[in-house]
Amino acid sequence: MGVESSCDETGIGFVRDGVLLGDSLASSIEEHVRFGGVVPEIAARAHVQAMVPTMRAALDDASLAWHEVGAVAVTAGPGLATALHVGVAAAKAAALALGVPLYGVHHLAGHAAADTLVHGPLPDRSIVLIVSGGHTSLLAVDDLVRTPIRHLSDTLDDAAGEAFDKVARLLGLPYPGGPSVDLAARNGDPNAVRFTRPLSGSRDPALGFSFSGLKSAVARYVAAPRDPGITVDDIAASFQEAVADTVTRKAVLACQMENVDTLVIVGGVAANSRIRALAEERCAAAGIELRVPPPRLCTDNGAMIAAIGDLLVREGAKPSPSSLGARSSVPLELARLDD
Ligand code: KG4
Ligand code: ZN
């Protein structure tokens, strides 16, 4: 069983031998809309209310009974502290009551593992681009649970999803911003405004990410539009194009620099239609195999945490102690996260 509660989704999933048996998801997103962003205390209270019903719904979906659960994995970080604590407490209670091992896992390793549920085990070496609400990183992954993960780059400031959410707010599009920008961009011209591609100069770090300057460029444009004929949809499409162009170009470059021929794109922003299309185009041209999970497995869910738990169980990994705590901020090095 995988338990996810790092942000505004309560996710429970069941995975056995790499196969997703069933899952369930409850979201408190509606409760945050009027605040324009996730309110940690509201998210935590919603997790408390949703946890047991979501566990029951996931068991039903997987046609499993409690006594058939062999291990419990839970997101122990990173994420909102109050929200993480609810999942960790629930997972500990379930593991203790069932007499099964408990595994604290890293949320981002879960995002990467989500892809294995649809495309099978990862190859010996892959490059993983994580684009989520809190993180944007290029990772060199050999084995998700056995080998430490090497960070080729991490965003210097905002994460890609954060930029989508902030730009949506600037454009008056509803929260959550990513899907709103994606939708608006479908009716817009991606070449209407040529926003500068971040960290793309010859003296910039080739794999570096930074999104706060791009967000400010959109803010400046909105404050003083140069062409009155340009619509919100055009600005959304132009911003989205700048992000998609930057992340896919750098991800393909990372594969070439590391001599790796598989690219995996995961995290909430991997649900973006333009990033998916451009990544496909560029990977095909560069002879790179592209793996992107379906959108519902890109955003936070319990199945991805169960996927990592299943890998840890099969690897014979040491379970976490019952003193397992939550860590709101922790870099991804190993999938297993203790304290
Ligand atoms: O991975 P995730 O569900 O949660 C975190 O771990 O952060 O990612 C959430 C982020 C939000 O910023 C959301 O706006 C963005 O993913 N997102 C999208 C799309 N769907 C979700 N961004 C762009 N286009 C989308 N279609
Ligand atoms: Zn996430």
Side-chain angles (χ1 to χ4, degrees), residues 109-204:
H111 271 303
D115 184 68
T116 66
L117 296 174
V118 270
H119 297 121
L122 290 180
D124 288 346
R125 299 178 67 213
S126 55
I127 296 295
V128 177
L129 168 68
I130 292 194
V131 272
S132 73
H135 297 86
T136 300
S137 304
L138 273 166
L139 310 169
V141 174
D142 295 340
D143 182 289
L144 261 181
V145 295
R146 228 174 295 158
T147 334
I149 290 161
R150 215 156 29 93
H151 287 238
L152 303 175
S153 92
D154 299 293
T155 182
L156 300 178
D157 40 55
D158 292 355
E162 199 177 344
F164 269 97
D165 294 335
K166 289 176 177 169
V167 162
R169 206 181 306 179
L170 285 169
L171 296 178
L173 297 171
Y175 174 85
S180 304
V181 170
D182 198 343
L183 204 62
R186 280 172 208 191
N187 305 315
D189 173 6
N191 302 311
V193 189
R194 170 81 200 176
F195 291 117
T196 311
R197 290 359 184 193
L199 296 184
S200 293
S202 56
R203 276 196 258 155
D204 291 323

Side-chain angles (χ1 to χ4, degrees), residues 13 23 34 45 47 87 112 133 136 139 153 163 174 178 216 258 267-268 273 297 302 306-307 315 320:
D23 68 335
R34 68 193 174 99
R45 197 176 323 124
H47 285 307
T136 300
L139 310 169
S153 92
S216 304
E258 292 285 318
S273 60
L297 287 176
E315 179 60 25
S320 301

